[in-house]
Amino acid sequence: MLPTKAEAEKLLSEAEQNNPGPWGNHSRVAAHCAQKIAELCDFHNHSIQDYIGNFDTSKEEFELIQKELAKVCYDDYDRLIQLCDSMAGSEGVMDMEERMNDVKRRYGSYPLERV
């Protein structure tokens, strides 16, 4: 289970007491950047229609996925992981254009609204 923002700040403050230095504020800035990136990127909107690829499920499975997806409440961590997923290739980190072209090659398209 991931710590809450308050729990993470408490852990960071405790660690700074044992090892003072600028790394603590560096960690806060990195966390702030990750939070802002995640908030602004919103690559997905809880719609199964956002899926890129072929649907290979039964009608019942498709409806179950839709139902369960609607229950999910995305947080900053989810959005950050989705951002990272959109930059990750099988051989390493890719720039966004390269990744979109990779998806286009495999699935035939990459929705422009997801850029």
Side-chain angles (χ1 to χ4, degrees):
M1 196 74 167
L2 296 173
T4 65
K5 186 175 180 179
E7 291 167 336
E9 179 57 44
K10 183 177 184 246
L11 290 169
L12 185 58
S13 294
E14 290 171 2
E16 285 178 299
Q17 290 174 10
N18 294 323
N19 186 21
W23 69 269
N25 282 337
H26 166 80
S27 298
R28 287 180 184 89
V29 171
H32 173 78
C33 291
Q35 178 183 7
K36 292 302 175 186
I37 289 169
E39 287 172 352
L40 296 173
C41 287
D42 198 19
F43 281 94
H44 300 279
N45 63 15
H46 287 79
S47 170
I48 199 166
Q49 283 71 33
D50 280 350
Y51 177 73
I52 300 171
N54 301 319
F55 291 106
D56 59 355
T57 60
S58 69
K59 181 181 177 188
E60 292 78 21
E61 290 170 326
F62 183 86
E63 289 171 358
L64 176 64
I65 293 168
Q66 261 185 317
K67 178 182 163 191
E68 294 302 315
L69 185 60
K71 293 179 186 177
V72 175
C73 181
Y74 290 172
D75 61 16
D76 293 339
Y77 179 77
D78 297 313
R79 288 187 283 274
L80 184 59
I81 294 301
Q82 290 167 353
L83 172 63
C84 293
D85 177 60
S86 69
M87 298 185 302
S90 60
E91 301 297 318
V93 178
M94 305 170 80
D95 67 39
M96 293 297 284
E97 184 176 358
E98 184 181 359
R99 177 69 169 139
M100 287 186 298
N101 288 332
D102 174 54
V103 171
K104 285 179 190 176
R105 278 191 302 277
R106 289 184 291 121
Y107 298 111
S109 68
Y110 190 98
L112 292 178
E113 62 273 5
R114 298 216 21 215
V115 176

